[in-house]
């Protein structure tokens, strides 16, 4: 298990950018693939992006492809989500997760507490 803590969520105007960070606590951070998921009000939690243990392979939801970039720094036990050209529909609580390299929520066994991103004027 790895303990995950997200940060970086805040109120952002449409069209602007924001970077989320997720720090992992535990010596085995680089054993895990990492993922970002989000949950908007009244909706199910959905996949956003994932990255494998090495950082060489990534996968994105169609809704964020070309706007969001996932990356990781294993030396710093941190995974990032760079979000550009933000839209109001990106408003959600964003969660990072550790597990197998996948787009499926069930493949991730450790979760952070979430960070709120609100895209609005």
């Amino acid at each position: 298990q790895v303990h995950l803590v997200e940060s970086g969520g805040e109120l952002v105007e449409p069209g602007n950018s924001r970077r989320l960070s997720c720090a992992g606590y535990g010596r085995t951070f680089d054993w895990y693939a990492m993922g970002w998921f989000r949950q908007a009000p009244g909706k199910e939690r959905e996949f956003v992006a994932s990255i494998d243990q090495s950082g060489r392979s990534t996968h994105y939801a169609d809704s964020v492809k070309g706007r969001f970039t996932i990356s990781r720094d294993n030396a710093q036990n941190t995974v990032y989500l760079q979000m550009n050209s933000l839209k109001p529909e990106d408003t959600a609580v964003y969660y990072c997760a550790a597990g197998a390299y996948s787009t499926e929520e069930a493949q991730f066994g450790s979760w952070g507490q979430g960070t709120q991103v609100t895209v609005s004027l």
Side-chain angles (χ1 to χ4, degrees), residues 68-119:
F68 289 13
T69 302
I70 188 171
S71 62
R72 66 190 296 164
D73 183 344
N74 286 341
Q76 298 295 323
N77 282 10
T78 303
V79 62
Y80 303 98
L81 185 68
Q82 177 67 44
M83 306 183 294
N84 298 331
S85 303
L86 282 161
K87 305 175 182 180
E89 52 263 44
D90 295 317
T91 295
V93 177
Y94 283 73
Y95 299 89
C96 76
Y101 183 46
S102 173
T103 64
E104 302 292 328
E105 200 173 313
Q107 297 299 317
F108 292 87
S110 297
W111 292 81
Q113 83 288 350
T115 187
Q116 175 72 48
V117 174
T118 302
V119 184

Side-chain angles (χ1 to χ4, degrees), residues 21-40:
S21 299
C22 173
Y25 297 91
R27 292 178 293 172
T28 58
F29 179 80
D30 58 357
W31 288 9
Y32 299 97
M34 299 297 296
W36 286 97
F37 292 76
R38 68 186 181 185
Q39 187 168 20

Side-chain angles (χ1 to χ4, degrees), residues 53-69:
Q53 288 86 335
S54 70
R56 288 191 288 268
S57 294
T58 58
H59 194 88
Y60 296 94
D62 288 343
S63 58
V64 306
K65 202 171 293 183
R67 299 189 299 123
F68 289 13
T69 302

Side-chain angles (χ1 to χ4, degrees), residues 6-18:
E6 303 97 333
S7 61
E10 69 171 24
L11 176 63
V12 184
E13 291 190 358
N16 283 359
S17 299
R18 190 67 187 166

